[in-house]
């Protein structure tokens, strides 16, 4: 098991709290924020965005390169732009716990590209 902490962005607060509860129950350290600032992002390699809306602010920021070296998992978003963004994972609702936990664990185990970290 990895010791890295996941940051969960609760663009939809109730969904964010549910994801944090799920990850904690599976032994994955994480914390919930409602707005992702550079201080909250820190060295956490994986960001999970809980967004059951038609516009996902965090995914749009990630697509503009504002979070180099970080992997993004978006849960529940209905943002039509997400289908065209390469490199992020989109998990639809209704949420299936097993596949989400497995995906987060895989992303935590991946080594970031050193060039991406240099840009961070």
């Amino acid at each position: 098991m990895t010791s890295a902490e996941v940051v969960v962005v609760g663009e939809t607060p109730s969904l964010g709290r549910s994801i944090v509860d799920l990850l904690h129950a599976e032994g994955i350290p994480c914390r919930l924020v409602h707005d992702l600032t550079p201080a909250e992002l820190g060295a956490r390699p994986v960001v999970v965005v809980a967004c059951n809306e038609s516009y996902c602010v965090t995914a749009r920021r990630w697509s503009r390169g504002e979070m180099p070296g970080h992997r993004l998992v978006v849960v529940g978003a209905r943002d039509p732009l997400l289908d065209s963004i390469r490199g992020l994972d989109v998990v639809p609702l209704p949420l299936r716990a097993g596949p989400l936990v497995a995906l987060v664990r895989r992303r935590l185990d991946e080594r970031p590209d050193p060039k991406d970290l240099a840009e961070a």
Side-chain angles (χ1 to χ4, degrees), residues 30-106:
C30 61
R31 65 191 202 96
L32 178 66
V33 300
H34 295 289
D35 184 32
L36 190 60
T37 65
E40 277 133 354
L41 185 60
R44 292 169 190 86
V46 177
V47 176
V48 176
V49 183
C51 178
N52 189 19
E53 303 296 329
S54 58
Y55 185 92
C56 184
V57 173
T58 306
R60 302 270 182 130
R61 289 177 55 201
W62 184 86
S63 72
R64 291 191 301 264
E66 293 182 29
M67 296 174 236
H70 294 81
R71 287 167 292 286
L72 194 70
V73 176
V74 181
V75 178
R78 295 174 281 125
D79 188 334
L81 182 68
L82 298 186
D83 290 336
S84 66
I85 300 173
R86 290 183 31 197
L88 72 103
D89 296 292
V90 179
V91 177
L93 294 177
L95 183 60
R96 293 179 45 223
L100 174 63
V101 170
L103 175 61
V104 170
R105 287 187 197 277
R106 276 195 314 276

